[in-house]
Amino acid sequence: MDLIENTKEVGQRAKQELEKLHTAVELDAFFAKFLAKKGEIPTLMGNMKAVPAELRATFGKAVNDVRTSVNELFERKKAEIEKAKLEKKLAEEKIDITLPGATLSPGFKNPYYGIIDEVTDIFLQMGYEVAEGRDVETDRFNFELLNVPKDHPSRDMQDTFYLIDDLLLRTQTSAAQAHKMLENEVKTPIRMICPGKAYRRDDDDNTHSHQFAQIEGLVVDHNISIANLKATLELFVKKMFGEKREIRLRSSYFPFTEPSVEVDVSCFACQGKGCSICKGTGWIEILGAGMVNPKVLEMCGYDPKEWSGFAFGVGVERVAMLRYGIDDIRRFYQNDIRFLKDYPLK
Ligand code: DAH
């Protein structure tokens, strides 16, 4: 067969095969078969010796033409396959921007923490420091140093969560008072609040929870009187519940204060006229307080002849319930996101 014809036939075949290629793998195989060093087209040149001298130039040109044109077509095919591959990939990865996104639901602060923050801010502005209490206490700090007598019912197994022997979950944040006074080795004035949890073996119902929060306050200085207590609480109540609020003190009993009082605030719902929130009395009880019992001062190293002080304890959930009109204390602890959404905090 004429060598030039043969060359054209190889070129023809290569072009036909090229037409049918679809993948990069097929392209590679094609390249190896026709265009690589030992492929059909470059080896055509090996036939040169058999070509008569006068036809060598024509033969050489024919081989080169075939190589150039097959090469060109090969490059075009390669670009086509790469383009198709890219388009396929883009189509597969296409993002449907019209699909609704996953909605992120932001967290909400429990209103109970909102109250703690507000009360803390009010007292920080008055120059108080915030003390860290501890949830696990000893009998000494929770009861003894607070002058709670041995036979007091709150010391009973029925009322307190005892851990081992002498260790218990504190029943009141008042335990922080004794810590603060004893920590002050050099006896200096104290103005502190201690927000924290307290625990009692109560059966849970809409106004009782075995776990709740209190904010304890303690001031110890020279010449502190009940007038200072009243003025401080009045300021606190006005900041917390509004300028028009008034307070009244009712005589009460706590072992660690003498005298002891319960403090009522004039009802913010009915302005003192009487409604369901204040049970018709016009007043709402919000905290317990009193002058620090001299026995407590003495046990904690403050000489009662030189020092005097006042203390108070606020129930956090109670304030939150009054403030937001929440009717069941258990709702603070049920982790129900709807509850948190109902009382969004600023
Ligand atoms: N610890 C009291 C209670 O849990 C509240 C209290 C009353 C705290 C009078 C005080 C206080 O500091 O002076 O009911």
Side-chain angles (χ1 to χ4, degrees), residues 16-235:
Q16 279 165 5
E17 282 194 29
L18 204 49
E19 286 287 298
K20 296 182 215 143
L21 302 189
H22 294 293
T23 67
V25 177
E26 287 168 353
L27 261 186
D28 284 346
F30 176 88
F31 187 86
K33 184 173 174 192
F34 288 101
L35 294 169
K37 227 181 193 170
K38 289 186 181 154
E40 283 191 42
I41 296 174
T43 48
L44 284 172
M45 279 298 187
N47 296 329
M48 190 63 93
K49 280 180 239 125
V51 178
E54 68 278 15
L55 288 177
R56 281 192 183 162
T58 318
F59 175 70
K61 185 170 179 305
V63 173
N64 272 337
D65 285 351
V66 165
R67 188 170 32 206
T68 312
S69 61
V70 171
N71 236 331
E72 245 169 49
L73 288 175
F74 175 81
E75 287 304 326
R76 212 178 294 161
K77 190 75 186 178
K78 191 172 158 193
E80 243 173 56
I81 288 178
E82 271 168 14
K83 189 166 169 244
K85 192 175 159 194
L86 181 67
E87 272 166 8
K88 185 167 172 253
K89 191 164 180 248
L90 287 177
E92 276 168 9
E93 289 175 4
K94 195 171 168 200
I95 295 168
D96 182 356
I97 55 164
T98 63
L99 270 181
T103 41
L104 289 178
S105 158
F108 292 89
K109 208 173 190 177
N110 196 311
Y112 147 114
Y113 284 112
I115 297 292
I116 293 181
D117 289 350
E118 264 183 65
V119 176
T120 305
D121 276 353
I122 293 172
F123 282 98
L124 282 178
Q125 282 169 30
M126 290 197 245
Y128 285 57
E129 63 172 310
V130 178
E132 286 261 339
R134 46 200 93 176
D135 288 26
V136 174
E137 271 298 353
T138 55
D139 177 275
R140 180 163 173 257
F141 279 94
N142 194 74
F143 295 129
E144 211 172 299
L145 290 170
L146 294 171
N147 193 38
V148 179
K150 284 271 184 241
D151 56 356
H152 194 279
S154 67
R155 290 178 88 136
D156 201 281
M157 292 286 282
Q158 302 296 318
D159 292 286
T160 300
F161 288 109
Y162 283 91
L163 301 172
I164 39 163
D165 303 334
D166 206 32
L167 276 188
L168 47 91
L169 293 180
R170 71 174 164 200
T171 60
Q172 48 186 355
T173 48
S174 306
Q177 293 186 20
H179 278 293
K180 187 71 208 169
M181 285 189 267
L182 281 170
E183 266 162 28
N184 268 5
E185 281 177 25
V186 178
K187 299 304 176 192
T188 48
I190 295 171
R191 273 169 186 67
M192 73 110 197
I193 56 164
C194 173
K197 294 203 174 78
Y199 306 83
R200 289 182 198 169
R201 293 189 67 162
D202 270 330
D203 287 331
D204 293 357
D205 60 25
N206 61 337
T207 54
H208 294 86
S209 167
H210 60 281
Q211 175 195 309
F212 54 98
Q214 289 186 324
I215 300 173
E216 193 70 18
L218 174 70
V219 169
V220 180
D221 209 331
H222 302 289
N223 303 317
I224 295 290
S225 75
I226 201 159
N228 300 121
L229 169 64
K230 190 172 179 218
T232 303
L233 293 180
E234 219 157 40
L235 193 70

